[in-house]
Amino acid sequence: MKPSESVPSSVHEMQNDDSVSFLPGERDLEQVAFCEMERSPSVWDHTKEWFTARFVPSRSCVNASLRRHIPLVDHLSHYSWKKDLPNDVLSGVTVGVMHIPFGMAYGLMSTLPVIYGLNTSFFPVLIYSLLGTSRHISVGTFAVTCLMLAEMINNHQFQFASYVSVEEPESLSNDSLVSNFTVYAPVDGESPVEVEQKLLVAITITFVAGVIQLVLSFFHMGMVNTYLSDAVVGGVTTGAAFHILTSQVKDILGIRFKLAGGAHFFPRTWIEIFRHIGESNPATVIISAVSMTIVSVVKTHVNERFAKRLPFPVPVEMGMVVVATLVSSLANLEQRFSVRLVGTVPSGFPRPRLPVFSAMHLVLQDAIVMAVVSFALNVSVARLFAKKHEYRIDPTQELLAYGVGNVFSSFFESYVLCAALARSVVQEASGGRTQLAGLVSCAVVAIFLLFLGPLLQPLPQAVLASIVLVALKRMYLQVFDLRTLWHVDKLEMLVWIVTFASVLIIDVAPGLLIGVVFNLFLLIVRAQLAAMALLGQLELAALRVNENLDTSRELPSTKILRFEHSLFYANAWRFKKLVREMAPLPGSKGCSGDSSRLHHLILDCSCISYADTAGAKAIAKIVKEYQAAQVSVHVCHCRESLLGVLQRGQFLQDVDKRVLQASIETALEDVSCGNYAGEQEVIKC
């Protein structure tokens, strides 16, 4: 190429320049390359873009999901590390110290070695601290769930016998469990195999209960706790408190007999107590009396009285455990006075193990009860603190937290988690701001599990039983709620009594079921006892209930009635009966001389939030019946649901359209103007 010749600057110029020569095939190759540079997106590109848009979350989506499903992340986004962290650390240490004696005590209550109560004070707390929406509750062991678990263990223990190897005790999962078998048994005469059976029942129930809670969370069934009214929960927890008292009496007195599980636990156990009361151990009785006195005095006259002055409550339970352990070790109480001790508390974490999946059908019914009761107790405590500190909890997320916590913990020899009001109050009172306090308490329990557990071998069981009884003081005092219920609502008081008696006489789970069913039955009874209010007029033209205000006056020749309940098949008959009694037709059997002047009937439906076909028919029948007797009828304040039933069923198609009025005032205006007796226009529905 000569120097004077210009070089084409692009492929495009080369294609349009005929002076440029190409070797054979060069032009074709350049055209192919140019086409590849400008080709349209392929199917693969479209597929990749579609998949990314739908299945690869954006950063904002990931952040929102983390905040929703791991609430601790959201709490930390507003966290003041300088101001809030010291409070959470102090609160976590305080609650962690409380976890140790309560975990051991409630472990004994479940008829299992104390180590499993301590495991439950660590593993579920770890999960809930990450996933729970309440900032103040302290989960772990709780008396009611431990009592229920003990009764479930007694019912299913021997059904799990085939899942334990008798010939090979070394097949048990971890060394800590074997050490408990050789040193400690909750009931005299139990073998390591029997304790293993109990443990398998406990972790299987925990796993199934967790799965049930996860399923309820998936279907957004957080409202399941609404079926447990305050009266039902109060009756169940109070009855369970007396069951717990009954189960601890033998340890308080130092007598030895096997607890009778199953139905009628309360009466049968007291029969055994009185049968063996002559065998009480004086040293154990003295230890129990001293322990209960010290713990009760410090909690009542120090922690409660000086709550505002103390930076945190005095950990009297842990102090009592330490002092009793030292005294027992120095005085050799077991050898000299036959005082029963806790036995070896093994150090270290348990090895993971599987529940008995093939036996889940055996415990399904009990697991459902455990899942619902523990959820109801947890949410009731969580709502208490959420209302006090003005934040919201998410029941569905709470179900997820409990479900994941129970499923995860069941693999580490723990049982069903539950919130304890006493620990939660301490966590809040000692300055806890978020569930970071729960993580700190986990660290305290972990230190104890790893290094300090074996030091409590000389601890008398009576001390733990005393701590449990004093901790349930508030639950015993719930009996006095009956005074308030008597003045507020006698039917609700009846629900409380029936639930409490059923729990006390039969058992916790059947008592809960009886309480729920009886409460639902009373809803029907309340509907059948629905009231009809007679409205009058005050001087300021405001309508009020005539029987409650002496200054109101009844309008002449007019009755204004308000049915104060939903209207459906169960109370439609009562609606018609009350209308006929309170606004008798002229010439009817119950009509007096004054009532013969009735010309107008106004029905206020503002309280009828729901009406079915039977209710709509009852309204239509009254309208037609009174119109036939030359009494004008107006139906006022109808809600959308009631209007829909009346129109779709065409119940008022043959009556004057002025029957339906927007309010009582418009009905009175229509009556006073005499418009009602005019033309008879038919409603076309």
Side-chain angles (χ1 to χ4, degrees):
M1 184 180 295
K2 297 180 180 180
S4 61
E5 294 179 342
S6 62
V7 180
S9 60
S10 66
V11 176
H12 182 70
E13 293 177 1
M14 294 172 64
Q15 290 176 339
N16 296 329
D17 189 1
D18 295 335
S19 64
V20 180
S21 62
F22 290 86
L23 294 174
E26 282 187 313
R27 182 180 294 274
D28 295 336
L29 291 174
E30 292 292 339
Q31 289 178 348
V32 170
F34 181 77
C35 291
E36 287 181 353
M37 292 171 60
E38 295 187 355
R39 67 183 176 84
S40 60
S42 65
V43 175
W44 166 251
D45 293 330
H46 284 298
T47 304
K48 182 179 179 181
E49 182 180 356
W50 179 87
F51 184 85
T52 302
R54 285 163 177 78
F55 298 104
V56 178
S58 63
R59 179 175 297 180
S60 60
C61 181
V62 171
N63 291 336
S65 181
L66 282 175
R67 292 190 176 197
R68 179 181 176 185
H69 296 295
I70 307 180
L72 185 62
V73 174
D74 183 52
H75 297 164
L76 293 181
S77 63
H78 325 290
Y79 197 71
S80 174
W81 292 93
K82 185 177 294 185
K83 178 181 177 182
D84 295 337
L85 183 60
N87 290 322
D88 277 337
V89 171
L90 175 62
S91 176
V93 172
T94 304
V95 174
V97 170
M98 284 187 68
H99 266 301
I100 296 169
F102 281 106
M104 297 174 68
Y106 293 148
L108 285 179
M109 186 185 301
S110 65
T111 70
L112 288 168
V114 295
I115 185 60
Y116 304 119
L118 293 171
N119 290 343
T120 308
S121 299
F122 176 76
F123 292 102
V125 180
L126 192 63
I127 299 299
Y128 184 83
S129 298
L130 300 174
L131 303 180
T133 59
S134 175
R135 303 174 189 175
H136 296 94
I137 67 171
S138 173
V139 300
T141 55
F142 185 52
V144 175
T145 51
C146 288
L147 173 69
M148 294 174 62
L149 183 64
E151 295 175 353
M152 295 173 184
I153 287 173
N154 287 332
N155 293 336
H156 298 288
Q157 174 183 351
F158 297 107
Q159 295 176 334
F160 281 67
S162 59
Y163 301 102
V164 180
S165 175
V166 179
E167 291 81 9
E168 299 179 4
E170 65 273 12
S171 65
L172 302 178
S173 65
N174 56 46
D175 297 336
S176 65
L177 187 59
V178 175
S179 66
N180 274 316
F181 286 162
T182 57
V183 179
Y184 173 81
V187 180
D188 291 338
E190 280 191 337
S191 65
V193 172
E194 289 176 316
V195 178
E196 171 73 357
Q197 293 169 2
K198 290 184 174 185
L199 178 62
L200 290 178
V201 175
I203 62 176
T204 304
I205 289 175
T206 302
F207 177 81
V208 178
V211 171
I212 292 170
Q213 290 171 333
L214 288 176
V215 172
L216 293 176
S217 173
F218 179 80
F219 289 104
H220 295 269
M221 296 290 289
M223 82 296 183
V224 69
N225 70 304
T226 58
Y227 293 100
L228 301 177
S229 66
D230 291 343
V232 172
V233 174
V236 168
T237 53
T238 309
F242 282 93
H243 271 263
I244 295 166
L245 169 65
T246 301
S247 68
Q248 299 301 301
V249 168
K250 70 182 189 65
D251 291 328
I252 293 292
L253 299 179
I255 55 181
R256 305 188 179 190
F257 62 88
K258 189 174 182 62
L259 287 174
H264 312 295
F265 166 82
F266 185 82
R268 288 194 297 161
T269 303
W270 277 105
I271 290 173
E272 291 296 321
I273 289 172
F274 285 114
R275 185 176 295 171
H276 295 84
I277 198 168
E279 304 170 6
S280 300
N281 187 318
T284 302
V285 173
I286 293 173
I287 293 172
S288 302
V290 172
S291 301
M292 283 190 288
T293 301
I294 294 175
V295 174
S296 180
V297 167
V298 174
K299 288 175 70 71
T300 304
H301 297 285
V302 178
N303 289 347
E304 295 180 7
R305 186 175 179 181
F306 301 101
K308 295 182 179 180
R309 300 182 185 179
L310 294 173
F312 56 88
V314 177
V316 61
E317 293 89 359
M318 191 64 202
M320 195 70 235
V321 166
V322 172
V323 172
T325 302
L326 291 175
V327 171
S328 174
S329 178
L330 296 175
N332 197 12
L333 296 180
E334 183 181 25
Q335 299 296 328
R336 295 176 59 188
F337 302 103
S338 301
V339 174
R340 296 184 65 201
L341 306 181
V342 166
T344 299
V345 180
S347 60
F349 292 125
R351 297 177 185 173
R353 64 180 305 166
L354 296 177
V356 184
F357 297 116
S358 58
M360 289 192 298
H361 65 284
L362 299 175
V363 299
L364 179 61
Q365 181 178 352
D366 287 333
I368 293 173
V369 175
M370 182 69 81
V372 174
V373 171
S374 62
F375 171 64
L377 293 174
N378 290 337
V379 170
S380 63
V381 177
R383 282 179 173 165
L384 181 69
F385 291 99
K387 182 178 180 181
K388 181 177 179 180
H389 293 275
E390 299 180 349
Y391 64 88
R392 296 180 60 186
I393 64 167
D394 182 357
T396 300
Q397 178 64 26
E398 288 291 294
L399 273 173
L400 177 67
Y402 305 145
V404 174
N406 286 326
V407 170
F408 175 79
S409 303
S410 66
F411 295 106
F412 293 93
E413 299 178 352
S414 306
Y415 40 81
V416 177
L417 68 88
C418 191
L421 181 59
R423 288 197 310 268
S424 302
V425 168
V426 170
Q427 179 164 320
E428 185 244 1
S430 56
R433 298 287 190 271
T434 66
Q435 282 298 334
L436 270 182
L439 295 179
V440 175
S441 72
C442 285
V444 174
V445 176
I447 292 172
F448 181 84
L449 285 171
L450 292 173
F451 307 109
L452 305 178
L455 299 178
L456 297 184
Q457 176 181 350
L459 176 65
Q461 293 185 21
V463 174
L464 297 178
S466 303
I467 291 173
V468 169
L469 295 187
V470 176
L472 297 178
K473 174 185 174 182
R474 294 186 181 183
M475 295 176 67
Y476 304 137
L477 295 179
Q478 289 181 144
V479 173
F480 295 103
D481 291 346
L482 290 176
R483 269 187 317 196
T484 304
L485 293 176
W486 171 262
H487 295 292
V488 174
D489 190 341
K490 293 180 175 57
L491 285 180
E492 194 170 4
M493 182 192 73
L494 186 60
V495 172
W496 196 101
I497 293 174
V498 169
T499 307
F500 172 76
S502 302
V503 170
L504 203 63
I505 297 173
I506 306 176
D507 203 355
V508 176
L512 172 66
L513 181 61
I514 291 172
V516 172
V517 172
F518 186 72
N519 197 25
L520 295 176
F521 170 74
L522 283 188
L523 291 179
I524 301 176
V525 173
R526 289 177 188 274
Q528 293 180 333
L529 298 177
M532 181 78 78
L534 176 62
L535 303 185
Q537 191 173 35
L538 300 177
E539 294 181 359
L540 298 177
L543 293 164
R544 294 291 185 269
V545 180
N546 194 38
E547 60 186 7
N548 291 339
L549 294 175
D550 296 334
T551 58
S552 62
R553 59 183 177 83
E554 190 176 343
L555 300 176
S557 304
T558 303
K559 293 285 187 180
I560 306 175
L561 304 179
R562 183 177 65 208
F563 190 66
E564 300 186 332
H565 204 281
S566 295
L567 186 58
F568 58 106
Y569 68 93
N571 59 8
W573 64 273
R574 182 169 176 82
F575 171 79
K576 294 182 288 186
K577 175 176 178 290
L578 291 175
V579 171
R580 291 165 183 157
E581 288 179 354
M582 301 179 72
L585 288 168
S588 64
K589 183 177 179 180
C591 180
S592 63
D594 294 336
S595 60
S596 62
R597 294 185 293 105
L598 177 65
H599 299 301
H600 310 287
L601 174 64
I602 299 176
L603 297 176
D604 179 8
C605 300
S606 58
C607 294
I608 301 178
S609 60
Y610 165 77
D612 63 358
T613 304
K617 286 181 178 179
I619 293 176
K621 184 173 180 59
I622 288 295
V623 171
K624 295 175 182 178
E625 184 178 314
Y626 277 74
Q627 284 184 343
Q630 303 302 314
V631 177
S632 66
V633 183
H634 291 82
V635 181
C636 310
H637 293 295
C638 293
R639 300 191 181 187
E640 295 270 344
S641 58
L642 177 57
L643 283 175
V645 175
L646 289 172
Q647 292 176 356
R648 288 191 298 270
Q650 299 183 348
F651 294 112
L652 297 178
Q653 65 176 356
D654 298 328
V655 300
D656 191 286
K657 72 176 185 179
R658 295 188 186 90
V659 167
L660 296 176
Q661 294 288 335
S663 64
I664 297 177
E665 288 77 11
T666 58
L668 289 174
E669 290 175 3
D670 197 62
V671 168
S672 62
C673 295
N675 294 333
Y676 187 83
E679 61 208 67
Q680 296 292 318
E681 299 183 19
V682 176
I683 296 178
K684 296 180 181 180
C685 300

